Amino acid sequence: MLKKGIQWLRKPSVSLSVASLLGVGLAIGVFSVVTFGVVMDATNTEEFCTSCHEMQSGPFAMIQETSHFSNRSGVRPICSDCHVPREFFPKIWRKIQASREVWGHITGKIDTEEKYLSHVKEMKDREVARMRANDSQECRNCHDVSRMLMSEQSAKAQQFHSVIQTNGKTCIDCHQGITHMSSQVIEALEKE
């Protein structure tokens, strides 16, 4: 049956012109690209990311207590700004990796606060390693070290930011706890 199917696909069309076949192929291609773009955009929204109850009561609740959620400038990143690269192929790869979290929700691996907290260290370590590997690119999409007003920073921040490029450090090395850290997460990490 498979052999007959392959032969049928290889056989020239007797009823359709080459232009018709190209038109159908082009239409399918355009439809696929547009659909792919719509799905990529839909899965980059805060509404999609926080649609799982463990995200609402976990990471999303935690970030609401940080300067990344509410600050004097009114600039607020959403989940995808920090967790999804902007470049096409890294974005696709990150989406594939993120399916692990969706799978964890579907299978019940992290569907309660207790289960989530029991896996928080491995999830945090994986995300920190990813950000180290790409030189904290998602941070740098918004924060440009070369444009920082060092005079407006504390002495300690000035010291660290001025040597960031010479010491092989990246944003995540110092700012790991800037967002999703609640007392429950800190407790869970200390148990490890």
Side-chain angles (χ1 to χ4, degrees):
M1 186 165 174
L2 180 62
K3 193 174 183 180
K4 282 186 179 186
I6 292 171
Q7 286 175 343
W8 178 78
L9 286 172
R10 296 182 71 200
K11 189 171 76 173
S13 173
V14 282
S15 59
L16 296 173
S17 68
V18 172
S20 299
L21 292 174
L22 285 173
V24 169
L26 183 65
I28 291 171
V30 168
F31 175 78
S32 298
V33 168
V34 169
T35 302
F36 181 76
V38 168
V39 169
M40 290 295 280
D41 289 345
T43 59
N44 263 0
T45 63
E46 190 169 76
E47 292 75 25
F48 176 82
C49 295
T50 60
S51 63
C52 304
H53 68 89
E54 60 268 15
M55 292 300 287
Q56 279 288 338
S57 62
F60 189 62
M62 290 176 219
I63 200 168
Q64 291 176 6
E65 299 170 13
T66 72
S67 62
H68 272 99
F69 190 80
S70 183
N71 56 62
R72 68 178 175 259
S73 67
V75 175
R76 185 174 79 84
I78 62 171
C79 308
S80 59
D81 291 328
C82 299
H83 295 283
V84 181
R86 292 181 181 170
E87 299 78 22
F88 183 76
F89 289 111
K91 180 189 292 188
I92 300 300
W93 181 242
R94 178 64 186 120
K95 293 288 187 175
I96 292 167
Q97 291 172 325
S99 64
R100 178 182 321 164
E101 289 120 37
V102 174
W103 184 250
H105 169 73
I106 292 169
T107 62
K109 182 177 180 178
I110 57 172
D111 64 344
T112 66
E113 185 175 353
E114 295 79 24
K115 288 179 185 178
Y116 176 85
L117 290 172
S118 71
H119 294 283
V120 77
K121 181 169 179 9
E122 71 184 73
M123 291 186 293
K124 179 180 184 279
D125 290 348
R126 190 171 45 240
E127 189 63 7
V128 167
R130 182 188 72 78
M131 292 185 80
R132 272 192 190 121
N134 74 6
D135 192 23
S136 299
Q137 183 57 55
E138 289 77 21
C139 300
R140 293 173 189 279
N141 286 339
C142 297
H143 302 279
D144 185 348
V145 176
S146 68
R147 295 189 173 270
M148 288 181 177
L149 296 175
M150 297 293 185
S151 61
E152 300 290 320
Q153 298 178 359
S154 69
K156 193 161 212 70
Q158 287 180 39
Q159 175 189 353
F160 286 115
H161 288 147
S162 65
V163 297
I164 194 168
Q165 287 137 346
T166 58
N167 286 352
K169 296 287 185 184
T170 187
C171 307
I172 198 68
D173 290 319
C174 299
H175 296 283
Q176 286 183 33
I178 200 165
T179 53
H180 306 295
M181 298 299 281
S182 68
S183 58
Q184 296 96 331
V185 169
I186 292 168
E187 255 178 58
L189 290 171
E190 287 173 351
K191 287 180 185 176
E192 295 294 324

